Amino acid sequence: MHNNNKAYKNSCFFNPESIFRFLTDNELEELAFYREPDSYKRGTIIFEEQHRMKGIYVVQKGVVKMYKTGYDGREQIIRFAKTGDIMGFRSVISNDLACTSAKVIDNALICYLPAENLMSFVKSNGNFALALLKITCDELGEANDFITDIAQKTVRERLAEAIIHLKQTFDVDELGYVNIALTREEMANIVGTATESVIRLLSELKQEGLIELNGRRIKISDEARLIRAANMF
Amino acid sequence: MHNNNKAYKNSCFFNPESIFRFLTDNELEELAFYREPDSYKRGTIIFEEQHRMKGIYVVQKGVVKMYKTGYDGREQIIRFAKTGDIMGFRSVISNDLACTSAKVIDNALICYLPAENLMSFVKSNGNFALALLKITCDELGEANDFITDIAQKTVRERLAEAIIHLKQTFDVDELGYVNIALTREEMANIVGTATESVIRLLSELKQEGLIELNGRRIKISDEARLIRAANMF
DNA sequence: CGTGGTCTTGATCAGGATCAACCCAGGTGG
DNA sequence: CCACCTGGGTTGATCCTGATCAAGACCACG
């Protein structure tokens, strides 16, 4: 089950944390041509909504934000993709146009994997199929949570929750700052609110001693109270 | 690929529209014990949030609403399950506790399918796995749309959109009324708003000639304008 | 005939959106 | 080297959507 093919040691597909650990050496061999990741700079758009996806993207390094654009042009950030995550598989599987755009926010190394190969793996490799299904189900569960939150919680609660999620996703550096730098506008586009509201509420949380701010860097100083402010659990 | 096993003609698993069409006769045979659907009356709760799911449910007839309960007790309706739809697979696959509750709103016939069988089908039957994956991806796409809508659209727009979705899901009767009767509160719990707001906005849409109301029955009288009111596409 | 659930309408209130200024830092080009 | 510009960030003032509260109507049902 676990692949040991030396040639892939440095590729996106050799990652004991990713679903590609379920690929056999033979299956890996089919991807020989796609072994090398491409390098993308901050700001690069990897694909955009309405694009017909002919394959999926596998993040080896860096961070990508995935977002939808509302009819009035405002972004809604759906999730972030980082090392080991895959992007675009939803559209490939559903045979839909892409329903999100993907933009690099931390310089990234990303591999491509053609749709045909993905589909063939799913059909012939049960463990791979199950792993992909599990990823999708996890995402679906999170999406459902998010729907409920955004429909029922206040902006303040959602912001507090978003900060906690960011910490869980990106972890913290030596000083305790969450390992991601987002603009206020991007924060607003996660939470689904206006930039000004994010600014006001961030400084409110800071006043109350729940977080510390350093430019775009955020540090959680009192996680218990932040969780309570988020009304989680 | 397509099953022809006579004994299952009346079971939930014999349905040319459902994913179970991909099961082989042998696989169907494993479900012999679960062939007969159970009957559930309106109001029955099939499972609740936080419940550990030992299998999934397959709707043969009727309608079930699936919803999450927010921390303040308010429901958020996530989706409806009707003929051919399956419920609870997300939790089984993710090996999570149920993240929604399921309550019958139209008398239903529902089969049970143990988790072990589901998992084994996914692993050994590539077409079944792919079909299940496709369902999950479709749901995920809808969830993502919903997140964006709820974060960015007004209540009026969301209500208009919800009515259109209900029509697409449940179709209309001879008189043009959407084939589902929801309370105002349930409508509110789809849209993510207060009951009173739904009432006011429904009569507003009625005044403007976009819909007709007859108790809980809704008829779309001017779909083009309703779509515009929903700011769709 | 009362009772509980649903529906409706009106009045009030507040959470946030929006609009308008201004600051600040970091480019850019003359 | 400086004037300028641009993109974020911040703050204050104002407005409005939609939540909440309150009260009554309607209806089905035991």
Side-chain angles (χ1 to χ4, degrees), chain B residues 211-225:
Chain B
I211 60 171
E212 286 170 46
L213 295 173
N214 193 336
R216 291 186 185 165
R217 280 355 207 35
I218 301 176
K219 175 176 172 177
I220 299 178
S221 27
D222 190 338
E223 185 149 15
R225 277 172 62 216

Side-chain angles (χ1 to χ4, degrees), chain A residues 68 70-71 74-76 78 90 94 123 126 130 137-140 144-145 147-148 150-152 157 231, chain B residues 68 70-71 74-76 78 90 94 123 126 130 137-140 144-145 148 150-152 157 231:
Chain A
K68 293 175 75 75
Y71 68 96
R74 223 168 76 221
E75 285 180 12
Q76 175 64 43
I78 301 292
R90 200 209 62 77
S94 285
K123 281 196 201 171
L130 189 54
C137 284
D138 288 348
E139 265 190 51
L140 183 56
N144 288 343
D145 286 344
I147 288 170
T148 310
I150 220 166
Q152 301 195 352
E157 289 166 329
N231 251 316
Chain B
K68 293 176 73 76
Y71 68 95
R74 222 168 76 219
E75 284 180 14
Q76 175 63 43
I78 301 292
R90 200 209 61 78
S94 285
K123 281 195 201 171
L130 188 55
C137 284
D138 288 348
E139 266 190 50
L140 183 55
N144 288 342
D145 287 342
T148 310
I150 220 166
Q152 300 196 353
E157 290 166 327
N231 252 316

Side-chain angles (χ1 to χ4, degrees), chain B residues 168-188:
Chain B
Q168 290 167 345
T169 309
F170 296 106
D171 218 334
V172 295
D173 63 17
E174 329 76 56
L175 297 169
Y177 283 88
V178 178
N179 272 321
I180 183 100
L182 299 172
T183 66
R184 307 299 188 210
E185 189 182 4
E186 281 169 329
M187 293 287 294

Side-chain angles (χ1 to χ4, degrees), chain A residues 201-216:
Chain A
L201 290 167
L202 277 180
S203 56
E204 192 178 301
L205 293 175
K206 181 182 169 187
Q207 294 308 319
E208 298 171 19
L210 307 189
I211 60 171
E212 284 169 48
L213 295 173
N214 194 336
R216 293 186 184 165

Side-chain angles (χ1 to χ4, degrees), chain A residues 154-155 193-194 196-197 200:
Chain A
T154 64
V155 171
T193 187
E196 294 95 324
S197 298
R200 281 184 247 267

Side-chain angles (χ1 to χ4, degrees), chain A residues 3-16:
Chain A
N3 61 69
N4 293 301
N5 197 317
K6 293 282 173 10
Y8 292 84
K9 271 260 158 88
N10 297 314
S11 90
C12 295
F13 308 122
F14 190 92
N15 179 337

Side-chain angles (χ1 to χ4, degrees), chain B residues 103-170:
Chain B
K103 188 174 192 175
V104 178
I105 62 172
D106 262 12
N107 294 344
L109 295 174
I110 298 172
C111 290
Y112 182 76
L113 195 167
E116 310 87 70
N117 294 294
L118 181 76
M119 297 304 259
S120 115
F121 296 157
V122 169
K123 281 195 201 171
S124 59
N125 183 333
N127 288 310
F128 181 81
L130 188 55
L132 186 54
L133 191 52
K134 190 165 168 359
I135 287 175
T136 316
C137 284
D138 288 348
E139 266 190 50
L140 183 55
E142 283 163 28
N144 288 342
D145 287 342
F146 197 24
I147 288 171
T148 310
D149 284 347
I150 220 166
Q152 300 196 353
K153 287 187 175 182
T154 64
V155 171
R156 184 187 148 102
E157 290 166 327
R158 267 141 56 199
L159 180 61
E161 184 162 357
I163 294 170
I164 292 165
H165 280 147
L166 288 174
K167 185 197 164 188
Q168 290 167 345
T169 309
F170 296 106

